Amino acid sequence: MDADEIPGGPGWVIGSDLRPRITDAAAFRHGLRADPLVDVVEALWSGDAERALRMLEPATTARRRALRADCLCALGDIAAARDEYDDLVREAEGTAREAVMRQHRGKVLMAAGEIGDAIDDFARALELRREGDSASDLVASSAHALRIARRRLEERREGPARNDDAER
């Protein structure tokens, strides 16, 4: 695990790109053994978003729709992923699911280059998780996402100045 990764759960980490990555397939499968969508999650987090997307049809529940949006994002259809998460966040406002949906929409916003909006979603998800009964790993996940997004925004702001200095 590198410095910009945090543990996400048994057998997986959240990287500096904010995407989950399976590090130990056996531990991952054991940890999610009761999850009926473990095969979908494993395919997506292992880099096979097309296969995961096929397994999700029909995407009727909020969780299936969120995973579908994650697949679309991974496949480069950022606009469709954002539209789905916009709907999911609206539907989840004021519920226990709001933090999760904001956290995931923030990742799509990062992929779209909308870092300021992603920071807003990550900050709100962190606030909701701290206010609620969220497990410490969920709070850590939101804090990690917010930290990474703020760093990317700072790098973006410093980018042209660095290039100007390099050209002198």
Side-chain angles (χ1 to χ4, degrees), residues 32-88:
L32 292 180
R33 65 189 172 280
D35 186 340
L37 296 176
V38 66
D39 293 332
V40 173
V41 175
E42 184 175 23
L44 176 60
W45 293 2
S46 296
D48 195 349
E50 288 180 13
R51 182 171 155 253
L53 187 58
R54 285 191 306 271
M55 289 189 285
L56 282 166
E57 298 304 335
T60 54
T61 66
R63 182 157 184 243
R64 282 179 170 272
R65 289 170 52 209
L67 284 167
R68 182 177 186 278
D70 290 344
C71 290
L72 292 171
C73 185
L75 293 168
D77 194 347
I78 307 299
R82 182 181 181 164
D83 287 346
E84 186 68 65
Y85 270 119
D86 286 347
D87 290 344
L88 287 163

Side-chain angles (χ1 to χ4, degrees), residues 105-120:
R105 182 173 67 179
K107 293 176 188 183
V108 172
L109 293 168
M110 288 283 289
E114 298 176 34
I115 299 172
D117 290 338
I119 287 171
D120 291 344

Side-chain angles (χ1 to χ4, degrees), residues 147-158:
R147 186 172 45 256
I148 295 291
R150 285 178 173 159
R151 183 185 318 148
R152 290 236 182 100
L153 184 60
E154 188 60 33
E155 289 168 356
R156 178 184 279 179
R157 288 179 178 155
E158 292 176 357

Side-chain angles (χ1 to χ4, degrees), residues 9-29:
W12 63 281
V13 296
I14 301 169
S16 62
D17 61 0
L18 303 180
R19 289 184 293 175
R21 182 173 58 84
I22 297 172
T23 56
D24 180 333
F28 170 80
R29 283 188 111 6

